[in-house]
Amino acid sequence: MKHCYECGTALAPKKCEHEGLVPFCDSCNSFRFPIFSTAVSCIVFNQTEDKILLIQQYGRPDYILVAGYISQGENAEQTVIREIEEETGLTVISHQSSVIVI
Ligand SMILES: [Zn+2]
């Protein structure tokens, strides 16, 4: 993707926290992640499995699940582990297909 899909401005790579270099639109002041990529969302439980983790991302006020794009060469499970560790600084100590315990 060479141009912003919202405004058409040429994109330039910019360092995005936890993501590395990501195409950035100066006009929209927004990162433009590839729109064809596959992403994961993670439901992260505490050890007693009675709470889930929500985070704030990129300075936004909303609370969301930990999520992120699958990188080239990763499978979805590897992405889940990487994203949790990058976004929260917590370490995944066990995991199943649908439950993550940290
Ligand atoms: Zn733009």
Side-chain angles (χ1 to χ4, degrees):
M1 180 170 39
K2 294 182 178 178
H3 295 86
C4 175
Y5 52 76
E6 290 289 334
C7 73
T9 298
L11 300 174
K14 182 176 179 179
K15 184 158 177 34
C16 179
E17 189 176 3
H18 308 303
E19 302 290 342
L21 290 176
V22 174
F24 186 82
C25 177
D26 282 328
S27 296
C28 297
N29 196 32
S30 296
F31 288 100
R32 295 300 183 211
F33 289 91
I35 56 175
F36 50 83
S37 287
T38 305
V40 297
S41 289
C42 319
I43 300 174
V44 180
F45 290 92
N46 63 349
Q47 291 190 2
T48 52
E49 297 186 22
D50 57 357
K51 294 179 181 173
I52 65 168
L53 177 68
L54 298 176
I55 63 169
Q56 290 177 297
Q57 203 173 37
Y58 308 124
R60 293 185 169 186
D62 311 306
Y63 289 90
I64 61 171
L65 297 173
V66 176
Y69 290 98
I70 295 177
S71 296
Q72 200 166 17
E74 274 184 339
N75 63 34
E77 188 175 62
Q78 291 167 327
T79 303
V80 165
I81 293 168
R82 177 180 56 75
E83 287 291 343
I84 290 170
E85 293 185 352
E86 285 179 0
E87 297 285 346
T88 68
L90 299 172
T91 301
V92 176
I93 57 173
S94 69
H95 53 89
Q96 303 170 350
S97 62
S98 60
V99 178
I100 303 293
V101 180
I102 56 176

